[in-house]
Amino acid sequence: MMDARTDFVIAPSPPVSLAVAGSAQRFPVRRIYCVGRNYVAHVQEMGGDVERDPPIFFQKPTDAIVASGATVPYPSVTKNFHHEIELAIAIGKGGRNISEAEAMDHVWGYCVALDMTRRDIQGNGKPWEIGKSFDFSCPCGPISPVSKVGHITSGAIKLTVNGQVRQDSDLSLLIWTLPEIIARLSEYFDLQPGDIVLTGTPHGVGPVEAGDKLVGTVAGLAPLEVTIGPQLA
Ligand code: MN
């Protein structure tokens, strides 16, 4: 919705939106939620214990989105910039305390996303903010509506870097399933239309360098392609 106010003291930021695959329409993005540690083989490669603890949730700023086809600057203050290919859910209907049985009714569509990470400064008991939630940290492909592609709960999820396969898994290996993620997240937050939820990365995460070309795919969805740019000062 356009805001008709004319009394802002500085220009307000433009709304963030994503392309809808096969359409001239746009999906307006309100918040970006992410799930951490949601594939067994990825938890193991990060040195974690595989227990079914409650899912780890964090957020990225909405204006961290980078559209497919664009360049992702190599961020400042890191020497280990990692890719994490993920399936993202686009919420079309909000709610609190959503049941697992009704959770999928809240999904408008799906896209391929990257949870780009400053791995060398993520975690160690500190907040994930500077490791996960920085500028340009959330490339997202076009959103495919459920009305066209159905629900995406299994199938290949893959990332290539310069044509070499780095991550290759299947959505059926998610520890927390999509209905479980939506139900749990809605216990903590009032989900709203326009929210995006990244569902976690499979194993094979690793570093990228300036000039690398990343292509992320999930079976049934439009691909996500980005190029890594020079490091920001
Ligand atoms: Mn992730």
Side-chain angles (χ1 to χ4, degrees), residues 34-37 42 58 84-86 115 117 128 132 198-201:
C34 302
V35 183
R37 296 182 187 144
H42 173 61
F58 62 98
E84 294 192 358
I85 187 72
E86 309 201 2
D115 169 16
T117 301
W128 280 17
K132 288 282 196 182
L198 276 65
T199 55
T201 194

Side-chain angles (χ1 to χ4, degrees), residues 45-61:
E45 77 179 348
M46 298 300 291
D49 295 325
V50 180
E51 294 167 21
R52 210 156 187 269
D53 291 332
I56 295 168
F57 294 119
F58 62 98
Q59 289 186 46
K60 287 176 182 274

Side-chain angles (χ1 to χ4, degrees), residues 3-232:
D3 193 322
R5 297 191 77 119
T6 56
D7 53 358
F8 294 118
V9 295
I10 55 172
S13 302
V16 176
S17 63
L18 284 168
V20 174
S23 163
Q25 293 188 294
R26 309 281 303 177
F27 183 89
V29 181
R30 188 188 81 117
R31 287 186 185 169
I32 304 168
Y33 295 103
C34 302
V35 183
R37 296 182 187 144
N38 205 23
Y39 288 82
V40 168
H42 173 61
V43 175
Q44 290 169 335
E45 77 179 348
M46 298 300 291
D49 295 325
V50 180
E51 294 167 21
R52 210 156 187 269
D53 291 332
I56 295 168
F57 294 119
F58 62 98
Q59 289 186 46
K60 287 176 182 274
T62 304
D63 62 1
I65 283 180
V66 178
S68 186
T71 296
V72 176
Y74 195 106
S76 60
V77 205
T78 180
K79 294 187 169 84
N80 199 17
F81 185 36
H82 271 209
H83 56 75
E84 294 192 358
I85 187 72
E86 309 201 2
L87 170 70
I89 305 166
I91 298 290
K93 186 173 87 174
R96 294 174 57 80
N97 298 315
I98 297 166
S99 71
E100 288 177 27
E102 294 181 342
M104 298 305 264
D105 299 340
H106 293 255
V107 180
W108 190 88
Y110 298 93
C111 69
V112 181
L114 279 163
D115 169 16
M116 298 303 293
T117 301
R118 285 170 167 138
R119 190 71 70 201
D120 44 354
I121 51 175
Q122 175 197 4
N124 298 323
K126 297 181 193 134
W128 280 17
E129 217 75 29
I130 57 175
K132 288 282 196 182
S133 306
F134 48 92
D135 297 341
F136 310 106
S137 63
C138 195
C140 290
I143 296 184
S144 297
V146 170
S147 61
K148 288 208 175 139
V149 300
H151 285 292
I152 307 289
T153 54
S154 65
I157 178 168
K158 197 178 288 195
L159 180 81
T160 65
V161 178
N162 303 326
Q164 305 279 342
V165 176
R166 291 274 194 91
Q167 295 188 263
D168 186 2
S169 187
D170 195 285
L171 298 171
S172 60
L173 297 174
L174 282 168
I175 296 171
W176 292 93
T177 64
L178 304 188
E180 289 171 335
I181 290 169
I182 292 167
R184 291 299 184 106
L185 186 59
S186 74
E187 293 174 359
Y188 297 101
F189 299 97
D190 187 355
L191 294 184
Q192 296 282 339
D195 290 343
I196 300 277
V197 186
L198 276 65
T199 55
T201 194
H203 68 285
V205 302
V208 295
E209 302 292 343
D212 283 350
K213 184 155 195 209
L214 281 57
V215 178
T217 53
V218 167
L221 299 181
L224 166 61
E225 303 184 17
V226 291
T227 302
I228 306 301
Q231 187 166 28
L232 296 170

